[in-house]
Amino acid sequence: MTIMTKPETQASLQTLPGDDVRQIMWRYADRFDIQMVVQSSRSVARGIVAQLVAEGARNTHDWTEAKNRMFPAFDQSGITAAGLDPEYGGFLTGPRNLALSLVAFELAWVDAGAATTSLVNNLALGPIVERGTTEQKARYMSACIPPQPGETRQPWRGAFALTEPIPYVGVDTGVLGGKVRVAKWTEGAEPMLQVEKRGRFITNMAVANFVTAAVESDDPRLKGTCMVILEESDPGIFDRGAPTHKLVHQLSSTHDPIFNLTVPASRIIGGYTVQNGVIVPNYSHGDIIEAVFARTRVTVGLMTSAKLLSAVEPVVRYQRGRFRGGAGLAPGSPRYDLGLQQKEDALHRLVDIWASGEAGSSLGFETARLFDAWEPYVRRKEALFAEQGITGARAQMRALRQPRAEALEYLALLGQPPAQRNEVRFAELDANPLVHYVVQESLANVLCPACKLWNTGHGTNMLREAVSLMGGYGITEDCPGFLGQKWMDAQLEATYEGPESVQRRQLSVTMTDDLFLAQYRQWITDMRHIGALRPATGACALATAMELWLWTFMHLRDAKDADGKALYQSQRHGVTFPLADALCWLLATRCQILDVLELAAKGPASPNLAGGGLEGFVNFFTDLCHVHTARAAGEVGRICAELVYGYDRHPAWECDLRGNCTTAILADALDQAMPGYSMIAEALSREFTDQPLPPDKAGPCVCMRATEAFSRRRTKLDGCLTGARLAKDRAAQALTQVMIPEALDYPA
Amino acid sequence: MADPFHIVVCGSLVPDPLQTLEPVAGAQGPGLKNETMLPAVLDPWAGHALFEAANLAKQVAGSQVWLVTLGPKAKLQQLMMTIAQKVPFQLVVLDGTASGFADAHEVATALATAIQGIPGLDRNRLLLFGGCASASRDSGVTLQLVGEQLGIRDQFLGVDELGIEPDGALHILERVEGGQYQVSRCVAPPAVLAWATGSLPEPHNNPQVGMMNMRTIMPQLQKAKPVTVGCAGIQYDTVKLPSQRRDTRVVRDVPAADIAREIVDWLKA
């Protein structure tokens, strides 16, 4: 056999990636509207937002006049209108998830609190956009549109008040904190509702003109839960409350408001019907927030990833300039030119930060694009069900059983070569919008919580790494790139719009969906194929890690612990949550590899890239993929091994489980999988049989009789890490040579 | 009210000044290291001219603005994602180098030819705008040469202010030495106005303006004609960045009045 070796000298990174690269990788090279809103958002972020942070505007909980200057900037730059439908003054046609994600990404590059402020209006409008009546959409979206030339009106701002309970009052987040009753209901007139709600941690409250609030009926004449729109001029109490003393995201206004208002029933979002004398909202609050949060959580995940990528340039500049100005240090010397970049550790850690930022961004933008693609099918499904009179969650689930079965068939056909499959049947299924609806829904249900969970959770850890690379400078207000603030802010991103446990809980359910798993299996095949064509990406290692995860999941689904209790079950978070965490690593790395392939495929058509630099970008990003694949594989291997072995009781000298200890024959067999195993086992076994009491460090040897299949996969995975550290060395070397700007393009 | 103007702004892109600009010798003559990958901005002086042109067009109903630009069209397309959002204009693209080492005469000929080819352009109502200098080709002669080739004799350099008198005449303030202005009156177009900084702030980005502009900009970019301009026959012995002198002090919380006083003292000295 001949082993092909790749030369170690290859084109590498020359400059930091610019818009040409990102537009291709994140798939908006042909969307000029999105490219413009990106530029707009960037100018606001690196202009007024950066000035506010640099001036210390974050150093108060209050919403100041200075902070308020962000709103006109958002209005003038199109950021506000980007979230509105074109018929109400917006300019982005079609789904806007990718566009709004990019807006948040650009703003968070400087300050995530500002990004939050820009998004909250969309969050407040979200229930109305998703489920509102025509009248509600017209009123509130038109009110939020920035004034046109010649207009003097002030645009409305909104806030979104969900369920945050006041701490220590005996409720949990599953209980709605607001009540609604019928205040007055005159025959032939519209009912008037009394809404009482205390909100906590409600963003935008300092300026909100209206609030979309989740409430629960406290009156037999009104059924279930709903969301209502509250206006500041409604009769009653519209108390914005005290500013929340949060430590982070100080460029977003957060209060604990109190509402006790009388509003017409027409403010119920999505409308209502009267059935047997009872007001029945058309949508429960759950129906609405599911539709809203499913989208907005992605942007939060991307905010943390933006901050990771934003850290690269300031860290490189700091590393290189670390010793300059010192006595006797001459320009041109390695110490002068490279500074801390002479040290491998500093470079390797920065490679890890960059790779994590890439993977998180890839996962986030893939999810945003998925929501854009899914949205037309959601509309089609709703229209079809409305035509057929299918309402209510259970009825819809029943109606989707057949499409789900067909979707599995569709996915099976999709994985076959066109020449070998039944093309007539495939075309028939492909034309069914409900098939596409359920296929993409199964993905969205996994990718969205994965993005929110992994990007923010792991991202926070990596931001701490970035801060540490700046030394003491990192935790000062003067740190270039505001890295200290970005690190602290990330903790809130991991928490708001559903904390990590909520995302893990959702994942632990949605990742078991057969439709998702069918696609996951196909992804393994795809990664093997990519691994054959582009082995340097580490795609093959990723495929092996994905197989290990799948095997572990299937094993845990059927296995029981030492006490005979089922392992993969709803309340067993010790099993389900780590497995969800492991999946996130795989999903993010897969998206990262796919983005690099997109760059390699489409880059040559870009004159700016083809003219020089493309090969270097592709090689560098490929190395980052390999680095990250190795990290993901390590995490997956560790988690899976712990779950597979950890619920078997360890044998002890005096217990009945001695029979579970390794026999010589089995040890020999295992030696095939793990060379050297038999020697250890033999030594341990001898100690076990000859000694009445064990010597130190020679406990009874565990038999892995039931898990040889796992061992084989785990061992294979270890071998798959071949070359990952060489990739890391190459990426580190590239960091010493990449050309960076003379200065950061925003003040610090 | 003055008759509508046809305002043609000449301007192209330059590398973002925050980038590391390192001269290198290439096959096509001197250039910058990694030039194709560096982000670009509209030449700041041309930018002032464009914003002044748009402002004038807004004041005088019926006026039109064209931006005539010579540069690599792929980079111009990226640039348009920002510039097209700022003010309404029509784009005329010449696909060629935007290198600072291109010969000003060749550039001027290419620009003048393109201007002559603009459909519907009324040369009698033409105001030729551009920068009095450039961040990349600072010989400061390109716009004058374009004006000459178009037969425009009224040329004003270093313009900071343009007013339109009731009879349609142009009231022009040009920078001269000592912080003073030369005031001129030009009875009617055509005229060349090479702008210094003007007095307008950079307009905010507005994607809605951009989307409107892009309807005409993208077709222009797609059908851009390749133009060869360069430095053929010219040999550069050395190329280096201008030497910089920075006496930077970082002082916090200094009142604006103190800063102004220090600047005045420096000027007087």
Side-chain angles (χ1 to χ4, degrees), chain A residues 44-109:
Chain A
V44 171
R46 304 183 194 194
I48 183 174
V49 172
Q51 286 164 15
L52 286 170
V53 181
E55 289 166 2
R58 290 173 54 114
N59 298 340
T60 172
H61 301 299
D62 295 324
W63 192 250
T64 62
E65 276 305 310
K67 294 180 188 179
N68 212 42
R69 292 197 337 251
M70 284 193 298
F71 283 114
F74 292 157
D75 293 344
Q76 289 160 354
S77 63
I79 293 174
T80 307
L84 302 171
D85 290 345
E87 58 262 49
Y88 303 114
F91 58 92
L92 293 170
T93 53
R96 299 186 287 269
N97 297 289
L98 177 61
L100 293 176
S101 296
L102 284 159
V103 168
F105 185 92
E106 286 296 334
L107 290 168
W109 189 276

Side-chain angles (χ1 to χ4, degrees), chain A residues 356-518:
Chain A
S356 298
E358 290 294 332
S361 301
S362 295
L363 174 60
F365 289 122
E366 165 71 8
T367 312
R369 291 193 301 270
L370 171 66
F371 276 111
D372 279 350
W374 185 39
E375 200 166 303
Y377 294 113
V378 173
R379 305 288 177 220
R380 290 286 299 279
K381 182 216 72 167
E382 286 172 355
L384 281 171
F385 282 6
E387 282 170 21
Q388 296 166 14
I390 300 170
T391 56
R394 285 186 184 173
Q396 293 202 8
M397 279 178 67
R398 275 197 302 274
L400 287 172
R401 271 184 203 151
Q402 179 64 19
R404 284 181 59 82
E406 290 175 337
L408 281 171
E409 186 186 355
Y410 171 75
L411 290 171
L413 291 170
L414 193 64
Q416 296 172 8
Q420 293 174 18
R421 70 186 173 208
N422 182 341
E423 278 292 301
V424 175
R425 179 60 177 158
F426 179 75
E428 185 185 336
L429 293 170
D430 193 39
N432 184 349
L434 291 181
V435 166
H436 288 284
Y437 170 81
V438 294
V439 166
Q440 295 186 5
E441 179 192 41
S442 70
L443 285 185
N445 286 342
V446 171
L447 294 188
C448 178
C451 171
K452 172 70 166 62
L453 171 64
W454 190 83
N455 285 24
T456 59
H458 178 59
T460 305
N461 296 339
M462 296 311 286
L463 274 166
R464 195 205 67 78
E465 280 281 307
V467 169
S468 76
L469 290 184
M470 301 290 274
Y473 206 10
I475 49 167
T476 66
E477 285 185 8
D478 303 325
C479 176
F482 310 130
L483 298 190
Q485 291 97 323
K486 285 173 180 171
W487 166 45
M488 290 188 292
D489 283 352
Q491 186 54 47
L492 181 54
E493 287 137 38
T495 302
Y496 71 178
E497 292 204 34
E500 289 160 292
S501 59
V502 170
Q503 308 309 318
R504 289 190 175 103
R505 176 82 181 105
Q506 185 181 345
L507 266 175
S508 69
V509 174
T510 57
M511 70 189 189
T512 67
D513 185 345
D514 286 343
L515 277 173
F516 167 71
L517 292 173

Side-chain angles (χ1 to χ4, degrees), chain A residues 14-15 20 23 32-33 35-36 39-40 43 76-77 89 91 478 607-608 612-613 617 739-742 745, chain B residues 18-20 33-34 36-38 74-75 77-78 81-82 84-85 204-208 210-211 214 218 252:
Chain A
Q14 296 173 45
T15 62
D20 294 301
Q23 287 161 6
F32 304 124
D33 49 351
Q35 290 179 32
M36 283 190 211
Q39 297 297 334
S40 254
S43 68
Q76 289 160 354
S77 63
F91 58 92
D478 303 325
N608 294 338
F617 281 124
M739 193 170 90
I740 63 168
E742 293 284 344
D745 62 352
Chain B
L18 280 178
Q19 298 294 322
T20 301
K33 188 178 176 185
N34 301 322
T36 60
M37 287 180 290
L38 294 179
K75 289 202 84 69
Q77 182 175 319
Q78 288 290 353
M81 297 307 149
T82 304
Q85 297 190 56
H204 295 286
N205 285 338
N206 184 340
Q208 282 157 310
M211 291 305 291
M214 288 307 281
M218 278 315 294
R252 287 180 178 271

Side-chain angles (χ1 to χ4, degrees), chain A residues 575-625:
Chain A
V575 177
T576 59
F577 282 16
L579 209 55
D581 286 331
L583 178 63
C584 293
W585 283 92
L586 299 170
L587 297 175
T589 312
R590 172 182 171 270
C591 293
Q592 184 184 7
I593 290 173
L594 294 180
D595 279 358
V596 176
L597 294 185
E598 182 77 4
L599 180 64
K602 305 276 176 63
S606 165
N608 294 338
L609 293 177
L614 176 63
E615 191 185 353
F617 281 124
V618 171
N619 288 339
F620 176 74
F621 283 132
T622 298
D623 283 336
L624 285 191
C625 285

